[in-house]
Amino acid sequence: KRACSTGTASAASHIPQVTLYTKEVCPLCDRAVSVLESAGHPFELTKVDIEAVGNDDLRARYWMDIPVFFLDGKFWSKHRLGKQDVQESLAAAANGTFEARQGEPNATADGNPPPPL
């Protein structure tokens, strides 16, 4: 886990929990994290390696679409993040109004098994 506190949060605000599904080498993931960190809002980031031992189900679901982001446990985005969306989404999560987005990837349901590691 990594906390980023580039913004300020009131005592009543919730610190959004961002989960990033990634793999060891992922340039798109690195760029998306840079956008996230530059947004100026506090958040806690947890990175989950979909290729780690025991994460076969996550790898099967997300291998075609990383980075995949969840915000407070709700699907948020895949492939990339835009600065304005990050600012708006983190603000919404901080005040409890963020809602899951449509389009959560699932390569398993789409009949696309991952290639061997």
Side-chain angles (χ1 to χ4, degrees), residues 2-33:
R2 179 170 58 183
C4 180
S5 58
T6 57
T8 58
S10 70
S13 288
H14 159 74
I15 302 295
Q17 306 298 305
V18 177
T19 304
L20 165 60
Y21 294 95
T22 185
K23 63 182 184 177
E24 188 173 332
V25 177
C26 179
L28 279 178
C29 301
D30 297 339
R31 278 182 266 179
V33 169

Side-chain angles (χ1 to χ4, degrees), residues 23 50-51 56 59-64 107 112-117:
K23 63 182 184 177
I50 65 168
E51 294 183 339
D56 296 337
R59 183 170 174 268
R61 290 177 62 90
Y62 300 139
W63 75 275
M64 293 177 58
N112 295 308
L117 286 174

Side-chain angles (χ1 to χ4, degrees), residues 32-85:
V33 169
S34 291
V35 172
L36 185 63
E37 291 173 339
S38 72
H41 287 272
F43 64 90
E44 285 190 7
L45 177 64
T46 301
K47 292 183 178 182
V48 179
D49 183 344
I50 65 168
E51 294 183 339
V53 174
N55 286 346
D56 296 337
D57 182 56
L58 294 173
R59 183 170 174 268
R61 290 177 62 90
Y62 300 139
W63 75 275
M64 293 177 58
D65 291 298
I66 61 168
V68 174
F69 287 91
F70 278 70
L71 185 52
D72 288 339
K74 301 170 189 167
F75 174 68
W76 178 18
S77 185
K78 64 183 181 183
H79 303 157
R80 56 191 48 85
L81 293 173
K83 188 171 183 174
Q84 183 174 344
D85 179 50

